[in-house]
C-alpha cells in the first residue's frame, strides 16, 4: 500500500500524463503555419495585414468526425438543432440523426453544416475556426511557395475546381499538400471562417444608397488589391452572401489553434 506522500506523487503523475495526452490529442493532425505579413484582397486601403503563427488542421473535418460529434452532443443532431442555429438544409443528405446516407463517404469532408455548428465543433476540440486572414494566408500557398497568388497556373487550378461538380464527396487528402503541409484548402469544399461576414460585398461598397449586405456585383471590385484574382473575388462574394445559420452542400470547415508563447 502506498504511503500518503507516495499517493500524492502518484496522483500528480496521473494528472500530468492526462494533460499531456489531451494536448497531444488536440494538436494531432495539425501543422504550424508560420505567420507573416500579406496584403488581403479587401481591407483598409489594401494595407498589409500581420498574421501570427498558428496551428491549422491538415485536413478538413470529415463526415465520420462530425458524426462522432453529434453523437456526443445530441443538441446538434439534425432533428434537435434549433432553426436559429441551422436552417432546413442542415445535414440534409444524412439518412437520419446518426447515419450517413449511402451517397456520403465517411472520409469525405463534412458539408451541410452551419457556421454555428462548425464553431461549436472546433470549440469542443479546444480549437476555433480560422479568421479570414488566417485562412487566406494559409491558402495562398501552393506546394512550393508561401504566396502563389501571382501564378497563373495556380489560379487556373482553383477556378477549374470551382467549376467541378460534387467534389465535396471526394476523400479528404485527395488534393495537393501545400507549402505548410495542409491538404484540401482548394479542391474539395468551400470552408467557413470565424469572421466570414466581416468584409461585406455590399451596396455600400458600390457607393450607392442600397445597404443590402447580400448584394454583389462587378463594381464591388473597388478597393480590391488584385483585380485579376478572380478566385479570391468568388470566395469573398460567397462569404458575403452567407448567413450564420445557412447550411450548404459544398461548404465545410477545418479548425485552427493559437500557439501560446510563454515569456
Amino acid at each position: 500500500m502506498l504511503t500518503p506522500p507516495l499517493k500524492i506523487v502518484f496522483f500528480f503523475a496521473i494528472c500530468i500524463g492526462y494533460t499531456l495526452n489531451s494536448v497531444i490529442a488536440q494538436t494531432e493532425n495539425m501543422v504550424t503555419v508560420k505567420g507573416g505579413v500579406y496584403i488581403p484582397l479587401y481591407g483598409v486601403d489594401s494595407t498589409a495585414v500581420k498574421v501570427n503563427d498558428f496551428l491549422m488542421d491538415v485536413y478538413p473535418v470529415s463526415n465520420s468526425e462530425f458524426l462522432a460529434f453529434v453523437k456526443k452532443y445530441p443538441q446538434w443532431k439534425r432533428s434537435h438543432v434549433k432553426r436559429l442555429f441551422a436552417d432546413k438544409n442542415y445535414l440534409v443528405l444524412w439518412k437520419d440523426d446518426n447515419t450517413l446516407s449511402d451517397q456520403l463517404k465517411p472520409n469525405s469532408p463534412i458539408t451541410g453544416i452551419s457556421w454555428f455548428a462548425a464553431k461549436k465543433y472546433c470549440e469542443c476540440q479546444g480549437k476555433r475556426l480560422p479568421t479570414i486572414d488566417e485562412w487566406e494566408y494559409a491558402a495562398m500557398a501552393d506546394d512550393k511557395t508561401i504566396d502563389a497568388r501571382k501564378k497563373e497556373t495556380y489560379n487556373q487550378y482553383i477556378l477549374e475546381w470551382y467549376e467541378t461538380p460534387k467534389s465535396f464527396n471526394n476523400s479528404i487528402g485527395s488534393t495537393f499538400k501545400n507549402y505548410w503541409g495542409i491538404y484540401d484548402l482548394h479542391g474539395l469544399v468551400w470552408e467557413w471562417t470565424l469572421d466570414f461576414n466581416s468584409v461585406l460585398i455590399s451596396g455600400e461598397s458600390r457607393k450607392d444608397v442600397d445597404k443590402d449586405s447580400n448584394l454583389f456585383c462587378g463594381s464591388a471590385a473597388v478597393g480590391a488589391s488584385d483585380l485579376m484574382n478572380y478566385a479570391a473575388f468568388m470566395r469573398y462574394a460567397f462569404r458575403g452572401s452567407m448567413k450564420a445559420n445557412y447550411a450548404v452542400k459544398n461548404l465545410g470547415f477545418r479548425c485552427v489553434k493559437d500557439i501560446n508563447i510563454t515569456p
Side-chain angles (χ1 to χ4, degrees):
M1 182 178 294
L2 294 174
T3 61
L6 288 178
K7 286 182 179 180
I8 294 173
V9 171
F10 183 67
F11 172 78
F12 278 106
I14 292 175
C15 290
I16 292 171
Y18 177 81
T19 301
L20 288 174
N21 287 335
S22 298
V23 171
I24 292 171
Q26 288 175 357
T27 57
E28 187 179 4
N29 289 326
M30 302 189 83
V31 294
T32 299
V33 178
K34 185 68 176 176
V37 175
Y38 91 114
I39 297 177
L41 183 69
Y42 283 96
V44 181
D45 298 325
S46 297
T47 54
V49 171
K50 184 179 184 297
V51 176
N52 295 322
D53 298 355
F54 62 96
L55 294 168
M56 176 174 265
D57 285 350
V58 173
Y59 307 105
V61 175
S62 68
N63 284 317
S64 61
E65 289 171 329
F66 199 79
L67 176 58
F69 167 74
V70 298
K71 287 181 177 179
K72 187 174 182 179
Y73 301 96
Q75 64 268 36
W76 292 100
K77 290 183 177 182
R78 187 176 67 184
S79 65
H80 294 177
V81 70
K82 296 180 180 179
R83 283 289 169 260
L84 177 66
F85 300 126
D87 67 14
K88 63 181 181 181
N89 294 313
Y90 179 73
L91 301 178
V92 69
L93 295 180
W94 287 27
K95 185 177 294 184
D96 56 44
D97 279 349
N98 299 303
T99 312
L100 301 175
S101 67
D102 294 336
Q103 62 181 304
L104 295 178
K105 301 175 184 176
N107 201 38
S108 293
I110 181 66
T111 58
I113 45 87
S114 66
W115 177 85
F116 290 109
K119 181 174 179 287
K120 179 57 67 174
Y121 176 96
C122 291
E123 290 173 353
C124 290
Q125 314 305 313
K127 306 177 185 179
R128 60 175 173 81
L129 286 171
T131 64
I132 290 177
D133 286 328
E134 288 171 335
W135 195 97
E136 291 288 335
Y137 180 82
M140 71 185 186
D142 64 4
D143 57 337
K144 294 182 175 64
T145 57
I146 293 176
D147 189 353
R149 291 178 295 177
K150 296 296 184 182
K151 291 185 179 181
E152 184 176 346
T153 53
Y154 185 55
N155 288 312
Q156 187 59 38
Y157 165 80
I158 299 173
L159 289 171
E160 287 175 357
W161 160 55
Y162 289 167
E163 298 174 356
T164 303
K166 297 184 178 180
S167 60
F168 67 88
N169 209 26
N170 294 334
S171 298
I172 61 173
S174 59
T175 69
F176 71 95
K177 178 172 69 172
N178 78 0
Y179 177 90
W180 303 110
I182 302 169
Y183 287 86
D184 308 325
L185 285 168
H186 305 291
L188 285 190
V189 294
W190 306 81
E191 296 185 4
W192 282 110
T193 59
L194 185 64
D195 51 345
F196 72 95
N197 57 358
S198 64
V199 181
L200 295 175
I201 314 304
S202 67
E204 186 174 342
S205 70
R206 300 202 308 269
K207 307 301 182 183
D208 61 26
V209 295
D210 190 342
K211 301 296 185 180
D212 187 350
S213 62
N214 293 320
L215 296 177
F216 177 82
C217 72
S219 58
V222 175
S225 61
D226 184 358
L227 298 179
M228 300 306 293
N229 195 339
Y230 301 120
F233 274 119
M234 292 178 70
R235 288 195 298 275
Y236 277 87
F238 180 75
R239 291 174 185 138
S241 69
M242 298 299 291
K243 293 183 179 179
N245 69 330
Y246 282 8
V248 182
K249 70 177 181 179
N250 61 345
L251 176 60
F253 71 101
R254 74 180 71 217
C255 309
V256 301
K257 187 176 176 65
D258 294 320
I259 296 178
N260 295 320
I261 302 175
T262 55

